[in-house]
């Protein structure tokens, strides 16, 4: 739908020539050129957005861009002048304190990430145990079927590393 909107914008603007504003008649003409039809309510809804685009295009046409300006080979979504911070600010996680390990371990599948983090942080379960729990569920035919590639060795290696890191920092 977004692409259709842009195409319609260009066609409507192209059909304007001397007009100052896009109206429903211009939208009808542009839509007819590409084999589309819209209800009067749809055309009325589009008019404001198309007129906003028209104003932006007119402003862009007034810009003088010198040939010496280098072509941007990489897209940078940051607004002009934004300085990206290079130092990581400390993060305050809101990890709950009083989360209990369920008697039925299958209930872990329904815990939130913060609840699971609490169980690991307060040493009620290890990263390896939690990884093994989820790996076993996937291996036994998880009904979600949402995994593309299973990498149990890598997952267990990373879980062991996480447990070692927790021993050093907690």
């Amino acid at each position: 739908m977004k692409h259709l909107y842009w195409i319609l914008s260009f066609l409507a603007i192209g059909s304007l020539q001397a007009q100052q504003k896009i109206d429903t008649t211009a939208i009808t003409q542009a839509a007819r050129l590409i084999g589309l039809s819209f209800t009067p309510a749809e055309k009325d809804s589009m008019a404001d957005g198309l007129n906003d685009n028209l104003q932006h295009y007119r402003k862009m046409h007034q810009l003088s861009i010198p040939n010496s300006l280098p072509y941007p080979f990489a897209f940078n979504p940051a607004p002009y002048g934004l300085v990206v911070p290079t130092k990581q600010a400390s993060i305050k996680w809101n990890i709950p304190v009083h989360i209990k390990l369920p008697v039925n371990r299958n209930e872990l599948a329904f815990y939130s990430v913060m609840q699971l983090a609490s169980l690991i942080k307060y040493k009620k379960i290890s990263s390896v145990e939690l990884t093994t729990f989820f790996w076993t569920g996937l291996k036994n035919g998880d009904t979600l079927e949402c995994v593309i590639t299973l990498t149990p060795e890598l997952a267990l290696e990373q879980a062991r590393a996480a447990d070692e890191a927790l021993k050093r920092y907690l």
Side-chain angles (χ1 to χ4, degrees), residues 2-164:
K2 189 176 183 180
H3 297 294
L4 176 66
Y5 187 75
W6 284 107
I7 291 170
L8 194 59
S9 294
F10 289 123
L11 290 173
I13 289 167
S15 69
L16 279 178
Q17 294 174 352
Q19 285 181 316
Q20 293 300 313
K21 200 170 183 189
I22 298 173
D23 58 9
T24 55
T25 305
I27 295 172
T28 302
Q29 293 169 350
R32 191 175 322 126
L33 285 173
I34 55 174
L36 297 175
S37 63
F38 298 102
T39 66
E42 290 172 327
K43 289 186 255 185
D44 189 52
S45 295
M46 282 188 242
D48 288 337
L50 291 171
N51 281 305
D52 287 343
N53 287 345
L54 176 61
Q55 295 307 314
H56 291 296
Y57 295 138
R58 285 186 175 146
K59 286 178 185 175
M60 285 191 292
H61 288 164
Q62 293 172 356
L63 295 175
S64 175
I65 301 173
N67 283 336
S68 61
L69 185 69
Y71 180 79
F73 287 103
F75 173 68
N76 182 359
Y80 178 76
L82 177 76
V83 177
V84 178
T86 56
K87 184 180 178 193
Q88 173 67 50
S90 62
I91 300 172
K92 304 282 189 225
W93 298 104
N94 191 17
I95 297 176
V97 178
H98 303 293
I99 302 298
K100 295 181 181 175
L101 192 63
V103 176
N104 180 358
R105 292 268 174 122
N106 289 330
E107 291 177 24
L108 287 172
F110 302 100
Y111 274 35
S112 70
V113 170
M114 287 302 207
Q115 290 171 316
L116 294 171
S118 174
L119 293 175
I120 292 171
K121 180 178 180 178
Y122 297 107
K123 297 181 171 68
K124 295 177 184 171
I125 194 169
S126 70
S127 298
V128 171
E129 289 174 296
L130 195 58
T131 301
T132 303
F133 164 76
F134 282 109
W135 163 245
T136 303
L138 290 168
K139 185 172 65 174
N140 293 336
D142 184 345
T143 57
L144 292 177
E145 298 179 9
C146 59
V147 176
I148 295 171
T149 304
L150 296 172
T151 56
E153 298 83 13
L154 177 61
L156 287 171
E157 177 185 322
Q158 291 175 344
R160 280 190 282 278
D163 283 339
E164 288 301 316

